[in-house]
Amino acid sequence: MSSALQILAPDGSVVGELPGLSDAELRELFVHMLQIRCMDGRMLKLQRAGRIGFVGTATGLEATLVGAAAPLRQDDWLWSGLREGGAAVMRGLPLAEYVAQMYCNANDTAKGRQMCNHFQHKGTNYPSWSSVIGTQITHGVGAAFASMRRGEDTVHAIHFGDGATSSNGFHSGLNFAGVWKVPAVFVCTDNGWAISVASSAQTAAKSFAAKAPAYGFPGVEVDGNDVLACQSAMADAIERARRGEGPTMLVLKTYRMLGHSSSDDPTKYRADEEVEAWAKRDPIARFERYLIERGVVSEGERADLETQLLVKIDAVIHEQEAAPPMALKTLVEDVYAEVPYHLRREYNDFIAVAEKLGHAQPGDGAFPL
Amino acid sequence: MANLTLIQAVNDGLRTVMKADDSVVVFGEDVGPKGGVFLATEGLTADFGESRCFDTPLSEDGIIGTAIGMAMNGLRPVAEIQFQDFIFPAFDQIVSEAAKLRYRSGGQYTAPMVIRTPYGGGIRGGLYHSQSGEAYFAHTAGLKVVIPSTPHDAKGLLIASIQDPDPVLFMEPKALYRSVKGEVPEGEYTVDLSTLRTVRQGGDVTIYCYGAMVPVVERAAAQAAEQRGIDCLVVDLRTLMPLDEEGVLEAAKQTGRVVVVHEAPRFCGYGAEISALIAEHCIEYMEAPVRRVTGFDTPFPNTLEHHYLPDDRRVLDAIESVYDF
């Protein structure tokens, strides 16, 4: 980690060049980090209570999400993987939509079609993503190409994890990005583990960042538990892309404190000592120590902030518990722009049986053929 | 009207949309200054510039993945996969991403794009320059699969595909690129995606086919008329997904005797779907079992490709067998 960019040491002391953020901006970053951890906690509780099916947490990764999202403009794009939902909320995904997606209910903008923890938000250019690893990398590059071709200065932040560096999409995406010199920043969050496979088992290269120069652009290692380092490195990479100087890859070195998901037991494949060592580097505690020292937050204020966040989150959860049932016609809608003949017929055959069995709701009736 | 080959009609179609719509970009391997290995994109870089028609690095996964991103962000990509045999590195992007994007996002994100790719045998290309992969893609909800068989349809279907709001796999029968010629209207026109074409009217036997098999079936139908007085109704499906199901069933009912012809392997091939549709919806009209004339359930051969591919004699035999049943 010695070569990784660091601004705050784990004890919160300043060891690098501070970005020019105001006290209010710093405080906002802190609140967003807390919000991610509070959301994780609540979602895990809901999962254990059987209210939602699956959670992929970002606990331990808060600095990467908040730091890398902070310098993005509202019209920039954030191409995500599993754990960037908190960054989407920070950029404007309404909490209600976040929770509706976790419930996969009728309020979900994806109409309940994706499993839990697959967020999207058109309003802030946070596209829908699939569970297939690395496929969003080339999408981000193509979209960045489109922005560039229109002469816009929009930047595309393309997130993925350490495991994705082994995927086809990583190679294709970085290769095309280098050749086309697109305005993109590749944000590789190296959280130590791809489910149960250690990041050290993904490559024989010296580091993930070392791969970027092979594609013709810089790779930068960053202490991913240092929100200011993440913010600063991202701001530089974004400005470089905006100036038309091409892509950068950031490797944010951090640690996934919990399992891959609510379905995973990490004690089967990693040592408690490793987890404990990383707990001492907690990104929120580190930033809090700095902010207290700077006088931006006070001792003990974190608990109050968390209480406020949880009240807000719980109110939204309460609302989403009462969502209406899913319209059955959504089974065949949005496959194509228009529902084609064969799908209308498949649906009509189905709904005739559903009506007989009493499973249909008013309004679920047949399509005209 | 101009008298064009099928590949000239493809080129004309690309030019027509590129002129009309600045957001249309054409790219792939060797499609730039060279104009593509079959010359489908000949002259496009010279006439529209490198920002409209360009070469990419040699990665089908990269071509299709970036095309999806372009489509999600306002461009109308027309990506070429040099041979359909090379499409499989991009299978994941086509099947998991392009095809499912509209559905999984509840209609918030879409990928209006066209993947043009030459398919099929008859050029001595062996296993990896000859396959007909339509069944893999027609099986995938969210994709449209289009196969023209005439210059007129090649241009009209291609323009319709590029203007379509959904991703379209546009499969070009490479065996017909230069072997068929026909009248092609100048300027913009479209052929509806999901309407079959009646190639030949007849009341005795219905034959379904598409792409490079259409001229083969036409020859067999002519021989059936000449030698046996059998009148065949020949149907060119043109769009395999979504299929003109009403048209297919109507054509089956007209004769009660059905042959399906494709060069792809038989097992789970497109002919199975046609047979099943007929069995489910109009078996009471049938006077004979459905016969399929197809490629073998083997990899595509090289030296013996003319035996692998259905020819007019095999099709004629099937026509006679359902007629005489």
Side-chain angles (χ1 to χ4, degrees):
Chain A
M1 187 77 83
S2 58
S3 64
L5 176 73
Q6 196 178 65
I7 293 175
L8 299 179
D11 66 0
S13 62
V14 178
V15 293
E17 193 185 333
L18 287 167
L21 296 172
S22 69
D23 286 356
E25 286 168 332
L26 291 169
R27 189 181 167 84
E28 206 182 326
L29 297 187
F30 184 61
V31 173
H32 284 304
M33 290 171 77
L34 290 179
Q35 178 159 275
I36 290 169
R37 191 155 302 182
C38 289
M39 295 279 283
D40 274 358
R42 276 303 188 262
M43 293 304 128
L44 282 173
K45 276 196 175 145
L46 287 175
Q47 195 274 337
R48 281 172 194 142
R51 304 303 300 159
I52 61 176
F54 174 95
V55 188
T57 62
T59 295
L61 317 179
E62 294 88 349
T64 65
L65 296 190
V66 170
L72 288 170
R73 266 188 349 213
Q74 197 69 12
D75 63 324
D76 290 334
W77 292 56
L78 197 162
W79 298 83
S80 75
L82 177 63
R83 304 184 202 281
E84 280 77 36
V89 173
M90 173 178 170
R91 297 186 71 226
L93 167 67
L95 219 45
E97 285 186 25
Y98 182 104
V99 176
Q101 205 290 313
M102 292 301 285
Y103 275 82
C104 308
N105 66 19
N107 299 332
D108 174 13
T109 58
K111 304 185 186 175
R113 293 193 178 118
Q114 295 252 51
M115 69 183 288
C116 310
N117 224 118
H118 285 55
F119 308 104
Q120 63 175 4
H121 188 233
K122 182 106 180 171
T124 54
N125 291 330
Y126 186 95
S128 164
W129 60 282
S130 79
S131 319
V132 185
I133 291 300
T135 52
Q136 79 279 20
I137 301 176
T138 45
H139 301 169
V141 172
F145 176 91
S147 295
M148 181 174 76
R149 194 176 165 278
R150 280 195 295 269
E152 300 162 357
D153 66 350
T154 312
V155 172
H156 293 251
I158 304 169
H159 285 249
F160 50 88
D162 42 285
T165 61
S166 301
S167 71
N168 296 341
F170 175 85
H171 170 63
S172 306
L174 270 70
N175 190 43
F176 276 57
V179 172
W180 289 345
K181 215 174 170 188
V182 296
V185 182
F186 298 100
V187 184
C188 173
T189 303
D190 175 6
N191 68 24
W193 295 91
I195 304 189
S196 67
V197 178
S199 60
S200 57
Q202 294 291 345
T203 182
K206 208 170 149 197
S207 71
F208 295 122
K211 296 185 174 206
Y215 296 106
F217 50 85
V220 181
E221 275 194 23
V222 183
D223 182 341
N225 284 21
D226 175 355
V227 67
L228 296 185
C230 293
Q231 193 279 344
S232 177
M234 189 68 182
D236 288 350
I238 288 171
E239 282 322 304
R240 185 179 127 81
R242 243 192 260 298
R243 287 194 304 268
E245 291 169 23
T248 305
M249 176 159 83
L250 304 184
V251 179
L252 312 181
K253 297 181 79 68
T254 180
Y255 196 78
R256 191 194 76 209
M257 295 302 292
L258 304 175
H260 163 70
S261 73
S262 48
S263 317
D264 177 38
D265 173 9
T267 61
K268 285 190 171 166
Y269 52 80
R270 65 186 191 185
D272 292 346
E273 299 76 52
E274 181 180 292
V275 182
E276 284 155 19
W278 277 92
K280 293 190 183 113
R281 303 174 62 89
D282 181 68
I284 294 181
R286 183 189 310 197
F287 195 39
E288 184 188 15
R289 283 192 282 271
Y290 168 69
L291 294 178
I292 289 171
E293 183 67 25
R294 188 168 159 147
V296 175
V297 296
S298 53
E299 289 278 0
E301 195 182 349
R302 174 176 171 177
D304 294 339
L305 289 170
E306 284 173 340
T307 306
Q308 290 165 27
L309 287 165
L310 288 171
V311 166
K312 186 172 72 171
I313 293 164
D314 288 344
V316 172
I317 290 171
H318 189 70
E319 273 168 36
Q320 291 307 323
E321 282 276 336
M326 196 72 73
L328 293 180
K329 270 188 178 166
T330 61
L331 274 168
V332 295
E333 288 170 342
D334 304 315
V335 179
Y336 299 94
E338 306 285 337
V339 182
Y341 177 84
H342 72 282
L343 286 182
R344 283 182 274 141
R345 208 175 54 197
E346 279 177 23
Y347 178 80
N348 289 357
D349 290 349
F350 154 80
I351 203 68
V353 178
E355 278 168 354
K356 225 185 288 174
L357 298 174
H359 296 161
Q361 302 286 329
D364 284 339
F367 284 100
L369 280 181
Chain B
M1 284 280 188
N3 195 32
L4 301 181
T5 62
L6 195 145
I7 195 143
Q8 287 170 332
V10 168
N11 187 276
D12 188 21
L14 290 170
R15 284 174 184 280
T16 304
V17 258
M18 288 174 84
K19 254 182 236 165
D21 183 355
D22 183 50
S23 69
V24 175
V25 286
V26 173
F27 55 95
E29 293 155 10
D30 307 298
V31 304
K34 179 178 165 64
V37 295
F38 290 102
L39 301 181
T41 55
E42 189 174 29
L44 298 182
T45 302
D47 295 346
F48 294 92
E50 275 182 17
S51 69
R52 302 290 306 283
C53 177
F54 49 92
D55 292 326
T56 64
L58 208 167
S59 162
E60 289 77 15
D61 169 64
I63 291 167
I64 302 304
T66 55
I68 292 168
M70 291 180 202
M72 289 171 77
N73 190 14
L75 293 183
R76 284 274 170 163
V78 182
E80 178 178 303
I81 297 296
Q82 199 162 72
F83 286 82
Q84 194 182 42
D85 313 70
F86 307 158
I87 207 167
F88 300 106
F91 195 70
D92 182 37
Q93 284 290 349
I94 298 169
V95 168
S96 305
E97 305 293 334
K100 293 177 174 53
L101 182 62
R102 180 189 292 279
Y103 181 82
R104 77 171 189 233
S105 70
Q108 304 250 318
Y109 288 91
T110 60
M113 58 189 277
V114 173
I115 303 165
R116 288 183 41 251
T117 189
Y119 85 95
I123 64 153
R124 278 299 183 97
L127 289 78
Y128 302 113
H129 295 80
S130 307
Q131 295 173 77
S132 301
E134 65 273 16
Y136 297 115
F137 298 98
H139 186 67
T140 299
L143 285 183
K144 293 188 177 180
V145 180
V146 176
I147 307 184
S149 71
T150 66
H152 173 276
D153 284 357
K155 180 176 173 184
L157 289 167
L158 180 59
I159 294 174
S161 297
I162 296 171
Q163 293 173 348
D164 197 81
D166 290 302
V168 178
L169 180 68
F170 191 83
M171 294 173 52
E172 299 168 3
K174 67 171 95 74
L176 303 187
Y177 266 157
R178 290 179 174 78
S179 66
V180 298
K181 258 191 148 180
E183 293 297 317
V184 174
E186 275 159 38
E188 188 177 313
Y189 67 95
T190 57
V191 173
D192 183 56
L193 305 181
S194 196
T195 306
L196 55 73
R197 176 175 73 101
T198 303
V199 179
R200 180 189 174 110
Q201 292 286 359
D204 294 330
V205 174
T206 303
I207 314 173
Y208 302 97
C209 54
Y210 47 88
M213 287 295 106
V214 174
V216 172
V217 169
E218 282 186 270
R219 284 199 295 278
Q223 289 164 27
E226 234 170 72
Q227 296 169 19
R228 294 280 315 271
I230 304 170
D231 285 332
C232 292
L233 167 60
V234 177
V235 169
D236 175 2
L237 296 173
R238 298 200 292 201
T239 302
L240 304 194
M241 176 53 82
L243 176 66
D244 181 357
E245 284 190 6
E246 287 168 295
V248 165
L249 296 177
E250 193 45 47
K253 289 175 190 171
Q254 279 180 36
T255 66
R257 299 172 193 277
V258 166
V259 174
V260 193
V261 182
H262 56 65
E263 57 183 285
R266 177 173 312 191
F267 193 85
C268 288
Y270 202 78
E273 187 59 41
I274 299 291
S275 308
L277 270 176
I278 291 167
E280 280 180 324
H281 298 289
C282 60
I283 192 102
E284 68 274 23
Y285 290 82
M286 289 295 105
E287 306 284 350
V290 172
R291 276 281 309 267
R292 287 180 284 169
V293 185
T294 68
F296 290 85
D297 289 317
T298 64
F300 199 95
N302 184 34
T303 308
L304 293 179
E305 74 168 340
H306 56 291
H307 288 298
Y308 174 95
L309 290 167
D311 60 11
D312 46 3
R313 289 162 302 176
R314 279 168 65 195
V315 176
L316 181 60
D317 177 70
I319 293 169
E320 289 176 336
S321 82
V322 298
Y323 183 76
D324 294 335
F325 182 79

